[in-house]
Amino acid sequence: MNDYQKMADLLLQSRYAVALTGAGISVESGIPDFRSEKGLWSKYDPMEYGHIDSFRSNPAKVWKMLLEMDSVLMKAVPNSAHYALADLERRGILKAIVTQNVDSLHQKAGSLNVIEFHGNNRSLRCGRCSRKYARESVSFEKIPPLCACGYPLRPEFVFFGEEIPPDAYQKAMTSVQRCDLMLVVGTSATVAPASYLPRTAKSRGAILLEVNPAATELSHRMSDLHIAESAGKALPAIVAALDASSPKQRKNV
Ligand SMILES: [Zn+2]
């Protein structure tokens, strides 16, 4: 039995499967991992452009980087990995996706229960009065864009130096504590606090499945099964293997 089939069978046998996704799942959608060679952080120093203190002291400067990020994110469309996870949810297998991405591609692919650990790119918020604006409603002709109250707007995602939104953190922890299988896709999950999620799942007895092109600390220490392949190739293959599973593997049939 190949590893795709093994993962498919484990997913079918699971009671409450949760996916944890990161930058790697969106690379095939045209969004280079910010930390990679072609990524945003090779051009902009993350501490100078990505930290909340930098935004507060010079929002116009940080907005220069944000506009570039925005144009990359807005051009991106979901790839076969995003669609495969949406398919797993429709089949009743996957109960939630916890994503570290802010690109909204899971939702665009049709996933419903998406917990955005680092916020999202769909809206902007005033740093003073907290008024929210849909991204489409904001003009970027003048940088930084301003709230009606005159204060600079910020994206609804987490800067370095900021806490995970409490609501997202709570939901993520709840689903992770409940899961009996975690599918880690496109992330090495080494950055805290996202790194706690697979560790928490594993310590509570969940099976850890990993899809990452290269081995990570997780593959060495924690993953029960690691497929060293891109998400766009591996996830559709896992979904295809579900249909090939023998009926006895299908607990819910
Ligand atoms: Zn305001």
Side-chain angles (χ1 to χ4, degrees):
M1 192 188 292
N2 68 32
D3 285 349
Y4 295 110
Q5 193 63 56
K6 279 185 201 160
M7 281 204 184
D9 288 348
L10 289 166
L11 281 162
L12 284 169
Q13 288 159 18
S14 71
R15 182 180 42 75
Y16 198 96
V18 169
L20 172 65
T21 68
I25 197 171
S26 293
V27 170
E28 288 158 284
S29 290
I31 306 174
D33 185 339
F34 293 169
R35 296 167 196 277
S36 74
E37 216 175 294
K38 289 181 190 162
L40 213 53
W41 300 147
S42 66
K43 188 168 169 188
Y44 297 98
D45 177 349
M47 285 303 117
E48 203 183 329
Y49 285 89
H51 199 280
I52 187 62
D53 292 342
S54 314
F55 183 81
R56 287 188 184 128
S57 60
N58 194 345
K61 176 180 165 181
V62 170
W63 262 105
K64 188 176 157 238
M65 176 278 292
L66 289 173
L67 279 187
E68 193 167 325
M69 184 191 287
D70 183 72
S71 78
V72 173
L73 297 185
M74 291 307 286
K75 268 188 282 183
V77 289
N79 66 60
S80 52
H82 297 104
Y83 288 113
L85 289 182
D87 191 347
L88 283 175
E89 185 185 41
R90 273 195 298 277
R91 290 170 189 247
I93 296 169
L94 192 66
K95 303 296 195 281
I97 296 173
V98 180
T99 187
Q100 300 166 77
N101 301 339
V102 299
D103 53 31
S104 307
L105 293 181
H106 286 302
Q107 289 91 335
K108 284 185 182 164
S111 288
L112 300 175
N113 192 16
V114 182
I115 301 162
E116 295 172 308
F117 211 63
H118 292 156
N120 67 74
N121 68 335
R122 297 184 298 280
S123 53
L124 305 177
R125 180 175 90 228
C126 174
R128 181 165 63 188
C129 72
S130 296
R131 185 168 162 185
K132 266 198 193 191
Y133 296 81
R135 186 210 162 279
E136 305 78 50
S137 71
V138 175
S139 159
F140 295 106
E141 269 172 39
K142 280 188 190 152
I143 293 302
L146 299 178
C147 177
C149 81
Y151 199 83
L153 292 175
R154 56 162 292 169
E156 195 81 276
F157 49 70
V158 175
F159 282 90
F160 291 114
E162 286 192 300
E163 302 268 311
I164 303 301
D167 182 51
Y169 189 78
Q170 197 50 52
K171 282 185 183 159
M173 281 317 268
T174 303
S175 60
V176 166
Q177 286 169 354
R178 204 172 156 190
C179 79
D180 61 344
L181 184 152
M182 178 179 274
L183 176 60
V184 178
V185 184
T187 174
S188 56
T190 43
V191 180
S195 57
Y196 301 147
L197 301 174
R199 281 155 189 79
T200 302
K202 186 72 183 176
S203 71
R204 296 175 64 93
I207 292 172
L208 212 63
L209 305 182
E210 183 187 354
V211 173
N212 273 320
T216 66
E217 206 182 303
L218 284 182
S219 357
H220 294 307
R221 294 189 179 184
M222 258 183 276
S223 298
D224 293 284
L225 198 54
H226 168 221
I227 291 181
E229 185 55 271
S230 76
K233 280 187 187 162
L235 293 193
I238 295 166
V239 170
L242 289 173
D243 297 323
S245 273
S246 64
K248 71 175 165 54
Q249 301 288 359
R250 298 173 180 237
K251 204 181 64 173
N252 300 324
V253 173

